[in-house]
Amino acid sequence: MSEGVELLQAGEFLWEIPRSGEMRVPGRIYADRPLAEMLLADQPKAREWNALLQVRNVACLPGIRGYSLAMADIHPGYGFPIGGVGAFDTDEGVVTVAGVGFDCNCGVRALVAPLDRADVEARKAELAEALFRGVPAGIGSVGDFRLNRREIDEMLVEGAGFSVRRGYGTGADLEFIEEGGCMRGADPANVSDRAKGRQLRQVGTLGSGNHYLEVQYVDEIYDADAAGAFGIERGAVVISVHTGSRALGHQVGTDYLPKLKAAARKYGLQVREQELVCAPIGSPEGREYISAVFAAINCAFANRQAVGHLARGCFARVFGIGPESIRLLYDVGHNTAKFERHRVGGVEKTLLVHRKGATRAFPAGSPGLPAAYRAAGQPVLVGGTMGTCSYVLVGTAKGMEEAFGSAVHGAGRLKSRTQAARDYRGERIVGELRARGIIVKSHSMAGTAEEAPGAYKDVAQVVDVMEGAGVNRKVARLRPMICIKG
Amino acid sequence: MSYRYLEHVGDAAIEGSGPTIEEAFSGAAEAMLGIMVRGPVEGGAGRRAALEAEAESAGDLLVAFLNEVLSRQGLLGVLFFRCEVKEIRRTGEGRFVLKAEAEGLPPGALAGRLGAEVKAATYTGLKVGRRGGRFFARCVLDL
């Protein structure tokens, strides 16, 4: 398991792991030369869990089609690399916890406020305080949105619509959420009582680690037509929320890891790393896990709907505007497994697409997009760091053909948390950013140090790779003004 | 009992070690809890919980145990800051069983010491064994 993985340049921004040994498909990684060299240099340092090895291991899974892919924000994960995409044939393929992760449907929601940058700058400290107090964040935090177990079951079926029904947002929001905010096929019966018990007070909470709520302004428009369709212009104020399915999602992954291990043994499925344990998609175990994942996806939609509405309330109080005047730009996950139609070898098929730290990026004309975005394509929300910038991208036809309609999800970590804790101090990061006009309010200074901008790759470089490869296209760049960390 | 953090760029790799397998597992738990609660916390005043886990191998037991710690603290609404493995034994059927005791406080009582949430223990990098006369237990955690 510790041998080096060969990486060959296949284009200016595309690298390939040639098919060999047990690999059923080649590996493909979007990277420029410096990023590729970084991946190669990481191999001897992390022999058991380096990202190239993980791309290769995913390529060995049964029923994988096309390529084992990684976006330009690739870095080591568990089983799959972060930034990994694997699409599986529904007849011969498998579903695996490692391709979804434990924070099922972790994703980003972006809202547009009817304000401009100057409005926020004038009341930035007051707004930061309101958001810090108004949006529960931090490890173990709980919210006022309390549910009983019956209501949890309803949420797992309804997704974001459940939160809307409970007064968190409006029905108009739903069109601007991936899948309309509701995955069909979710079965609460396949989510354990323990998972539900952990979620009773977790809806409407941000979490910790790399989760955040940012108030940003648009400082650059790259694609005026798409930006026009999305209703954003220079100086516009955007509220971005990065969070997921919270404890329920964590527990779903935990519950199904040993179940899929047993299934892999039952069906004689060989995996190159134990975390890649899996079940045939059509098996009882596979179907059960998929229905639980869909339920957890709905939990995340409901959570981001609630958090977004709490943020709207804070803006409404500070600026005296109606919460409904804050428009949902889009909401899209980056830890999912979903059935999608894609062309492989010239034939269109339904595939189960796992995206682990990768965002769906459907191009113009794709079914299921909001009517207002159909000519532009689906917005892709890419979180950078609290000191740099974030991006709105859009998928391309080439990305649909080559990468199963996928995009990066962030900058991608450059340093481990251990290294970042050695290199940075939370208080100092907060002070430095304040001097640059960015207010950071955090429940954990240790966590702030570990999320320091220097702990991440250059998000501009990562996004430029994806645009250079023709897989994603830049629409707008967002600069942070306020960052709320858990 | 001791623990260390191994380099893992994306998540966290932990390793506990000690003269017994119980101490190695305790070290792994302390490493995991140390990601969530920073610095020592004086014990005695927190909520105590008895934990049990069972699995078919020592490695699977480590993952099952660490995930039990995370699940229980979530259900209890606390953050554990201490966890001691009391016993690991094999049953007549060859399965591995574990008993442990943990102590925790509500997050509000740990303000200023909060770190990052651990979402789960994974099978990646999973190894339980002996090295130089000491037991070790390691795996990668999802943060």
Side-chain angles (χ1 to χ4, degrees), chain A residues 316-340:
Chain A
R317 285 191 292 279
V318 171
F319 293 101
I321 57 176
E324 70 285 349
S325 69
I326 299 172
R327 180 176 59 83
L328 178 55
L329 170 61
Y330 205 63
D331 180 313
V332 61
H334 48 234
N335 283 357
T336 60
K338 300 200 307 183
F339 293 105
E340 296 172 359

Side-chain angles (χ1 to χ4, degrees), chain A residues 271-294:
Chain A
V271 292
R272 288 191 58 91
E273 197 219 302
Q274 200 180 172
E275 184 65 19
L276 287 170
V277 290
C278 50
I281 291 167
S283 67
E285 296 87 348
R287 289 199 303 268
E288 183 184 325
Y289 174 57
I290 290 166
S291 72
V293 165
F294 288 178

Side-chain angles (χ1 to χ4, degrees), chain A residues 257-315:
Chain A
L257 197 58
K259 288 183 182 178
L260 294 199
K261 182 177 181 183
R265 185 186 301 141
K266 175 180 169 183
Y267 296 106
L269 303 173
Q270 302 293 318
V271 292
R272 288 191 58 91
E273 197 219 302
Q274 200 180 172
E275 184 65 19
L276 287 170
V277 290
C278 50
I281 291 167
S283 67
E285 296 87 348
R287 289 199 303 268
E288 183 184 325
Y289 174 57
I290 290 166
S291 72
V293 165
F294 288 178
I297 286 174
N298 285 339
C299 178
F301 283 145
N303 186 42
R304 284 197 292 275
Q305 181 68 31
V307 170
H309 185 71
L310 293 173
R312 276 174 164 152
C314 296
F315 269 75

